[in-house]
């Protein structure tokens, strides 16, 4: 089986490297193309046997599964090129939230899936979100899940929850890293603790917390209760966070969803023009 990647920017590279390093795919099973060819060529130097295509048609002709690792507004141009050479048995996977399965099914006859990965998949960890179009058979879904299982925990969701699940799975690492960075900055400023030491302690804590919440049998509520004994120091600090962060997560969801709606509107216009009834999620 050959797997193709159109776009070897940040996410395309992460997926290719994780799939090779986890042993899910051999380099020779991968064919890639990037608008700026040097980016894909660098990967081919690192992973001997990986093939670089000279056209999108070459990727489509040679691959059973093709991941579209490009930005939302770049989809239509690539989809038009695919339409000129597609095969019905091709499994095309979009990795971006504002391009809906319906957009792709309306332009193409092949099988369409949407899989939102996460930077955590680079270390074979975290979830990936799977959504499957009407032409995807059970065996196609299982094949995609098997592939993603080597680098993530694949979780199937309904497409109407694309944005919120992407917030949690894909944006989450940036949100938590922001939280950690600010905490470390304050630790250094207020107490003079060495930055490297503070960062190491905070990162090890995050890893352990993740394990407790995934493998250790704790829910987030139980973990807080367990650490924050009544009248203790943690309980005092949690009260501060509760007060200061009141409403912040509602606002965060509003912000990500507003930007998503803006991007979706642009994608709708590119795919359908101005006048057509537009799907919203
Ligand atoms: N970053 C994340 O954590 C994350 C997580 C989940 C999903 N995503 C989704 O992943 C998608 C890609 O994001 P990214 O961060 O990887 O963006 P990126 O770094 O800009 O990568 C996009 C790549 O696509 C290439 N490209 C554009 N048009 C092309 C074409 N016609 N043919 C071949 N290659 C083409 C670009 O080439 P050039 O080198 O010429 O620019 C670029 O290397 C986005 O839609 C994003 O929503 C990202």
């Amino acid at each position: 089986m050959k797997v193709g990647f159109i776009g070897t920017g940040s996410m395309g590279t992460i997926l290719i490297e994780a799939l090779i390093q986890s042993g899910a795919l051999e380099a020779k099973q991968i064919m890639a193309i990037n608008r700026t060819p040097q980016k894909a060529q660098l990967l081919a130097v690192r992973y001997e046997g990986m093939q670089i295509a000279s056209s999108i048609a070459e990727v489509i002709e040679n691959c059973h599964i093709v991941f579209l690792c490009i930005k939302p507004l770049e989809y239509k141009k690539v989809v038009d090129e695919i339409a000129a050479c597609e095969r019905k048995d091709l499994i095309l996977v979009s990795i971006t939230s504002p391009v809906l399965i319906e957009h792709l099914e309306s332009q193409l006859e092949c099988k369409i899936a949407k899989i939102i990965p996460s930077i955590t998949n680079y270390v074979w960890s975290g979830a990936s979100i799977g959504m499957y179009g009407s032409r995807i058979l059970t065996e196609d879904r299982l094949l995609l899940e098997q592939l993603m299982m080597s680098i993530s925990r694949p979780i199937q969701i309904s497409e109407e929850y694309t944005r919120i699940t992407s917030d949690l799975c894909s944006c989450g690492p940036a949100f938590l890293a922001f939280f950690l960075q600010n905490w470390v900055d304050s630790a250094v400023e207020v107490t003079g603790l060495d930055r490297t030491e503070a960062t190491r302690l905070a990162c090890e804590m995050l890893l352990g917390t993740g394990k407790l919440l995934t493998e250790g049998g704790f829910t987030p509520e139980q973990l807080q209760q367990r650490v924050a004994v009544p009248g203790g120091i943690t309980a005092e600090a949690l009260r501060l966070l509760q007060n200061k962060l009141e409403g912040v997560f509602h606002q965060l969801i509003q912000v990500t969803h507003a930007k998503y709606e803006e991007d979706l509107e642009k994608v709708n216009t590119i795919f359908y023009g101005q006048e057509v009834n537009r799907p919203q999620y």
Side-chain angles (χ1 to χ4, degrees), residues 81-99:
E81 284 190 55
I82 295 173
C85 58
E86 69 173 319
R87 305 181 325 269
K88 282 189 176 175
D89 64 336
L90 169 73
I91 303 175
L92 194 65
V93 184
S94 157
I95 68 159
T96 196
S97 65
V99 175

Side-chain angles (χ1 to χ4, degrees), residues 24-39:
L25 293 174
E26 290 181 57
K28 67 179 182 203
Q29 288 180 280
I30 292 179
M31 181 179 273
I33 186 167
N34 193 68
R35 186 173 53 195
T36 309
Q38 289 87 335
K39 266 192 208 170

